[in-house]
Amino acid sequence: MKIITTRDIRNGTKAMFELAEKERVAVKRGKKYVNLIVSNEPDTKFVSEEWINEFMSIPMEYRCNPFEYSPSGDLYYADKRNIEHLEKAIKQARSGKVSKLSKEEQRELFSL
């Protein structure tokens, strides 16, 4: 991996883009990094190793593609149990079968 500065980008944009086609390049900008990623399609989705590890921690039988439900690939939507819970709650809300929590239940649920 090559870490470059914004000055490197400004002074040698073409060279930095060509470098990004050969190896990982990150531009250091203050305390943050902007990764240069080369792809053939503008809507290609990229995930981190941390994202993959969290996805793999979901039991196989409950995994699903989170990008089908969330453009960001939020891992909440990678677990079928969460999807089923949401679908059930939406169905109940639409049918009018929603119950109101008492103040005590709210305190217990939300740790108030």
Side-chain angles (χ1 to χ4, degrees):
M1 174 190 251
K2 177 91 172 174
I3 298 176
I4 60 175
T5 65
T6 53
R7 181 178 294 155
D8 294 330
I9 284 282
R10 187 177 60 241
N11 294 337
T13 306
K14 182 180 177 189
M16 294 302 112
F17 286 164
E18 288 172 353
L19 180 63
E21 291 186 18
K22 297 176 188 144
E23 67 177 284
R24 285 187 60 194
V25 176
V27 181
K28 185 165 179 25
R29 191 164 186 250
K31 293 183 180 183
K32 296 185 179 184
Y33 294 89
V34 176
N35 290 288
L36 300 181
I37 300 173
V38 179
S39 73
N40 292 328
E41 297 292 327
D43 61 347
T44 301
K45 295 171 176 69
F46 299 96
V47 296
S48 67
E49 187 174 335
E50 178 184 348
W51 187 94
I52 292 169
N53 289 336
E54 288 183 41
F55 179 79
M56 296 304 285
S57 71
I58 300 168
M60 182 72 151
E61 64 270 19
Y62 298 116
R63 282 188 216 149
C64 61
N65 182 354
F67 293 100
E68 290 178 7
Y69 301 95
S70 168
S72 68
D74 187 323
L75 286 172
Y76 179 84
Y77 300 98
D79 191 322
K80 289 178 186 176
R81 296 169 290 189
N82 294 336
I83 301 297
E84 290 168 0
H85 178 76
L86 286 174
E87 288 173 347
K88 181 180 174 186
I90 291 168
K91 187 176 180 179
Q92 284 180 338
R94 287 185 177 156
S95 69
K97 296 180 182 176
V98 179
S99 59
K100 188 173 181 177
L101 296 175
S102 69
K103 294 285 184 189
E104 185 177 300
E105 291 171 321
Q106 289 177 22
R107 279 193 291 276
E108 183 180 322
L109 183 62
F110 301 115
S111 302
L112 300 175

